[in-house]
Amino acid sequence: MDISDEQVLDNAGIRVTAVRLMVWRQVRHGFHDAFSLADLEAKMPTVDRSTLFRTLTLLAEAHLLHNIDDGSGSQKYCVCHLDDTRHCHGHVHLTCRQCHRTYCLTDVHIPSVPLPAGFVQEETEYVVKGICPTCAKKA
């Protein structure tokens, strides 16, 4: 059973406000792939940029979003897909070299990387650079 957007924020320890709820609804239901602050601004032109940025930061700190460095110079965000233990499971992202969109490949999990003794893994990003299906058809 899906829980309400308000409950998701509350469960994450985020005080629910009208703006936070609007932003969460937009990112949760309005984007299927990774998005930038500029993408969110385009969808929510009545909310100022600093409020959007602070809200995205809050959602990322609460592990509802994760940050993606796709090499574009623009921070991207993706809604976390929680596993049964309520942890954000890592998935691969593909950044298209032609249209510059970053796609979440939620069915492709990040492979385990064995680390030498003494190293502790805290997070992993896995970005593949290539061509998306839409751009491949145009070529």
Side-chain angles (χ1 to χ4, degrees):
M1 179 175 122
D2 279 343
I3 62 174
S4 72
D5 292 320
E6 295 90 343
Q7 192 63 48
V8 170
L9 295 178
D10 189 57
N11 288 351
I14 296 174
R15 186 173 55 86
V16 179
T17 66
V19 171
R20 289 174 181 169
L21 187 57
M22 278 186 351
V23 171
W24 174 242
R25 284 181 174 153
Q26 181 61 55
V27 301
R28 186 178 188 196
H29 305 291
F31 295 106
H32 292 84
D33 290 303
F35 62 93
S36 66
L37 176 58
D39 295 329
L40 185 58
E41 279 182 291
K43 297 266 189 176
M44 304 183 78
T46 61
V47 181
D48 70 88
R49 181 180 183 86
S50 61
T51 299
L52 293 175
F53 179 76
R54 284 192 309 271
T55 305
L56 289 175
T57 300
L58 181 66
L59 294 171
E61 288 171 351
H63 305 289
L64 295 177
L65 299 178
H66 62 266
N67 300 323
I68 305 163
D69 180 0
D70 63 3
S72 68
S74 176
Q75 181 67 56
K76 300 279 177 61
Y77 303 89
C78 180
V79 174
C80 284
H81 300 278
L82 302 178
D83 63 18
D84 294 336
T85 64
R86 306 273 311 138
H87 289 95
C88 187
H89 73 77
H91 59 266
V92 173
H93 297 94
L94 182 133
T95 298
C96 180
R97 291 189 184 266
Q98 290 185 5
C99 67
H100 307 288
R101 287 189 57 199
T102 298
Y103 296 84
C104 295
L105 307 178
T106 55
D107 293 335
V108 182
H109 298 279
I110 296 173
S112 177
V113 177
L115 298 175
F119 288 86
V120 178
Q121 178 178 333
E122 291 185 340
E123 62 182 73
T124 304
E125 291 183 33
Y126 199 105
V127 178
V128 175
K129 295 184 180 181
I131 307 298
C132 71
T134 303
C135 291
K137 286 180 186 174
K138 292 177 186 175

